[in-house]
Amino acid sequence: MALAKELNQIEAKEEDVTPPCTSWTLTALVDHIVLSHHHYVNENLSLISELADKVAKLHGETNPETIDIQSLWKKIFQELSYHIKQEELLLFPYLKNLDRFSNGELKVLSTTQLRSVRDPVQMMEEEHELINKWMGRIRMLTSDFTPPIRASMAYKMLYAMLHEFEIDLHKHVHLENDILFPKAIRIEDWSKSK
């Protein structure tokens, strides 16, 4: 009963709309992404890893796809952990400085960490594509996150958490690829023309 309620809540989250952030500053977008999506990823990567390991160990012999899911999740775990650190340590501070420069708070835009936003943005978008590809493979292996009829509680929780993670990932990638990165490139292009 509790699992059914949790699954309904996850489905309801799918209905959530991305905040109206197209008019937000780079700083507001970055802060929202870090507080909402990076925080969510950091909280859930290890939990899902533990469940994927447990399910693969318990059910891998009879359900070999669980071993593939475990393997794909390890790749996602490693890639996202590194990806988020790169964003938070290099790209996002530069974007905040770019924001401060564009509104006159900074007189000079330092390029000591990054010379331009374009190369790191391209790298981040490629990493997003790779992670989405792996999540798509997991979606296929799980038959759209549908556990077997007699699945254990751990099995059901793994599939529910993977589904929720995918939903958040799509929102996260949309905010970065479709809103934050293009806006940063426009502002940087404008700042170089000054």
Side-chain angles (χ1 to χ4, degrees), residues 77-134:
F77 183 102
Q78 289 173 343
E79 187 67 37
L80 264 177
S81 297
Y82 177 76
H83 179 91
I84 285 174
K85 282 181 188 165
Q86 292 301 302
E87 284 184 339
E88 291 182 5
L89 294 175
L90 293 172
L91 181 59
F92 288 178
Y94 177 80
L95 296 183
K96 285 184 169 189
N97 281 339
L98 181 60
D99 200 22
R100 292 174 63 214
F101 178 75
S102 73
N103 67 26
E105 288 178 49
L106 287 179
K107 298 297 177 206
V108 177
L109 180 61
S110 171
T111 57
T112 54
Q113 288 181 311
L114 297 176
R115 291 182 185 261
S116 171
V117 76
R118 289 181 189 277
D119 289 338
V121 160
Q122 182 181 349
M123 185 177 72
M124 294 300 149
E125 289 175 339
E126 288 169 5
E127 290 172 3
H128 290 162
E129 192 174 315
L130 182 61
I131 293 163
N132 273 325
K133 180 179 140 190
W134 289 333

Side-chain angles (χ1 to χ4, degrees), residues 32-46:
H32 173 75
I33 289 166
V34 169
L35 292 172
S36 295
H37 300 289
H38 285 194
H39 179 74
Y40 173 84
V41 168
N42 288 328
E43 275 194 339
N44 287 282
L45 280 175
S46 293

Side-chain angles (χ1 to χ4, degrees), residues 20-92:
C21 52
T22 54
S23 62
W24 292 0
T25 65
L26 292 177
T27 300
L29 284 164
V30 163
D31 288 346
H32 173 75
I33 289 166
V34 169
L35 292 172
S36 295
H37 300 289
H38 285 194
H39 179 74
Y40 173 84
V41 168
N42 288 328
E43 275 194 339
N44 287 282
L45 280 175
S46 293
L47 294 172
I48 294 173
S49 285
E50 290 171 18
L51 276 172
D53 291 345
K54 181 176 183 175
V55 170
K57 183 179 178 183
L58 293 174
H59 304 282
E61 196 172 301
T62 54
N63 300 81
E65 72 278 0
T66 60
I67 295 168
D68 293 337
I69 293 165
Q70 176 192 34
S71 174
L72 286 163
W73 187 258
K74 284 181 181 177
K75 291 178 183 181
I76 291 169
F77 183 102
Q78 289 173 343
E79 187 67 37
L80 264 177
S81 297
Y82 177 76
H83 179 91
I84 285 174
K85 282 181 188 165
Q86 292 301 302
E87 284 184 339
E88 291 182 5
L89 294 175
L90 293 172
L91 181 59
F92 288 178

Side-chain angles (χ1 to χ4, degrees), residues 13-22 24 29 32-33 36-37 167-176 178-180:
K13 284 182 185 179
E14 280 185 84
E15 306 285 324
D16 290 352
V17 211
T18 304
C21 52
T22 54
W24 292 0
L29 284 164
H32 173 75
I33 289 166
S36 295
H37 300 289
I167 292 165
D168 182 77
L169 181 67
H170 285 239
K171 291 176 184 178
H172 180 175
V173 168
H174 164 68
L175 281 174
E176 290 186 5
D178 301 329
I179 299 171
L180 178 66

Side-chain angles (χ1 to χ4, degrees), residues 147-165:
I149 293 170
R150 292 189 176 88
S152 67
M153 187 56 72
Y155 215 131
K156 291 175 183 175
M157 280 305 299
L158 173 63
Y159 279 30
M161 288 185 77
L162 286 168
H163 187 201
E164 181 180 80
F165 192 90

